[in-house]
Amino acid sequence: AQSVTQLGSHVSVSEGALVLLRCNYSSSVPPYLFWYVQYPNQGLQLLLKYTSAATLVKGINGFEAEFKKSETSFHLTKPSAHMSDAAEYFCAVRLNYGGSQGNLIFGKGTKLSVKP
Amino acid sequence: DGGITQSPKYLFRKEGQNVTLSCEQNLNHDAMYWYRQDPGQGLRLIYYSQIVNDFQKGDIAEGYSVSREKKESFPLTVTSAQKNPTAFYLCASSTGLAISTDTQYFGPGTRLTVL
């Protein structure tokens, strides 16, 4: 079965520091992976997605993620945190087999805090 | 503007009552989804529909029901059988095509509180 694990339910960084949010997946076949961001009391917004093209994926708001098959990881990074980056971030993997093909499996989320 | 609307934003329900959450999209998407979000648990799939007049149970369908009579609408009913309905409910839609690149777009959510 496919699943997603996000390491760290809370991450705190200083403004201007590197942001690193970790995501590991389990999949027996090549996965399709997504990162979403959620601001308080709002829906989810797509940051970026990996669909088996380039392994380094650039997204909105200066975020990027690298797909590493050998490590089964898809970590999200941003070189310099901004106060507006404070939100909850979700990693998701798309099911690519079976009757539920196409559905997303979400990690439990990581809340990012940015200190001035 | 194209997008997904959910109403109401906040909803209060007494125990034992059914309540219906609205989800409408004008993106001409075939597929629609309902998720439930609880603190620290991420999103869990309740129901999904890949085409009009068809829908499938997700991981936590017990105590919920849906209909898909129109392409643009996918209402969710939270029934009295749902033991713990207080949560944030999110609706999403996608084209339903091209499994590898299909993106789910989310509405703003409805926060349901049972009194």
Side-chain angles (χ1 to χ4, degrees):
Chain A
Q2 289 169 294
S3 65
V4 170
T5 302
Q6 291 184 242
L7 297 176
S9 57
H10 290 87
V11 170
S12 182
V13 300
S14 297
E15 192 173 19
L18 171 72
V19 175
L20 171 60
L21 304 181
R22 300 177 187 275
C23 173
N24 288 87
Y25 67 91
S26 65
S27 175
S28 58
V29 296
Y32 303 122
L33 295 155
F34 302 77
W35 275 101
Y36 283 87
V37 61
Q38 183 181 35
Y39 298 98
N41 292 311
Q42 293 187 27
L44 275 66
Q45 180 183 6
L46 180 70
L47 276 177
L48 50 81
K49 60 184 179 183
Y50 168 74
T51 57
S52 73
T55 56
L56 182 62
V57 182
K58 294 188 183 299
I60 62 171
N61 301 338
F63 284 93
E64 63 182 36
E66 186 172 8
F67 172 70
K68 291 188 176 180
K69 185 177 178 181
S70 61
E71 299 177 8
T72 61
S73 69
F74 190 56
H75 301 332
L76 182 71
T77 60
K78 183 174 180 177
S80 177
H82 192 272
M83 296 296 290
S84 61
D85 294 327
E88 190 160 19
Y89 293 80
F90 292 93
C91 183
V93 63
R94 161 163 289 139
L95 293 175
N96 52 15
Y97 65 90
S100 301
Q101 188 177 19
N103 289 349
L104 293 176
I105 302 295
F106 284 88
K108 294 188 176 183
T110 298
K111 280 190 178 175
L112 175 66
S113 301
V114 182
K115 299 175 290 187
Chain B
D1 285 340
I4 302 173
T5 57
Q6 291 185 243
S7 60
K9 188 171 178 63
Y10 298 96
L11 187 57
F12 297 90
R13 189 195 92 174
K14 293 182 180 180
E15 280 194 37
Q17 285 182 336
N18 292 355
V19 64
T20 298
L21 282 59
S22 168
C23 177
E24 304 276 332
Q25 54 97 2
N26 61 4
L27 300 168
N28 199 33
H29 284 171
D30 282 314
M32 297 187 74
Y33 310 81
W34 273 107
Y35 293 92
R36 170 181 171 137
Q37 186 178 20
D38 297 282
Q41 297 222 28
L43 278 70
R44 294 180 290 169
L45 184 64
I46 304 172
Y47 268 98
Y48 63 101
S49 168
Q50 293 175 330
I51 199 166
V52 175
N53 292 321
D54 185 56
F55 49 83
Q56 306 294 330
K57 292 182 179 180
D59 300 320
I60 56 165
E62 185 175 351
Y64 299 97
S65 66
V66 294
S67 63
R68 187 84 188 278
E69 297 176 0
K70 296 186 294 183
K71 186 176 185 177
E72 60 270 24
S73 178
F74 191 40
L76 173 73
T77 297
V78 185
T79 75
S80 56
Q82 168 51 234
K83 299 295 182 215
N84 184 21
T86 294
F88 191 49
Y89 290 87
L90 288 160
C91 178
S93 72
S94 69
T95 62
L97 306 171
I99 290 294
S100 62
T101 56
D102 201 22
T103 296
Q104 289 189 19
Y105 296 90
F106 284 79
T110 291
R111 187 166 297 281
L112 173 64
T113 302
V114 174
L115 304 173

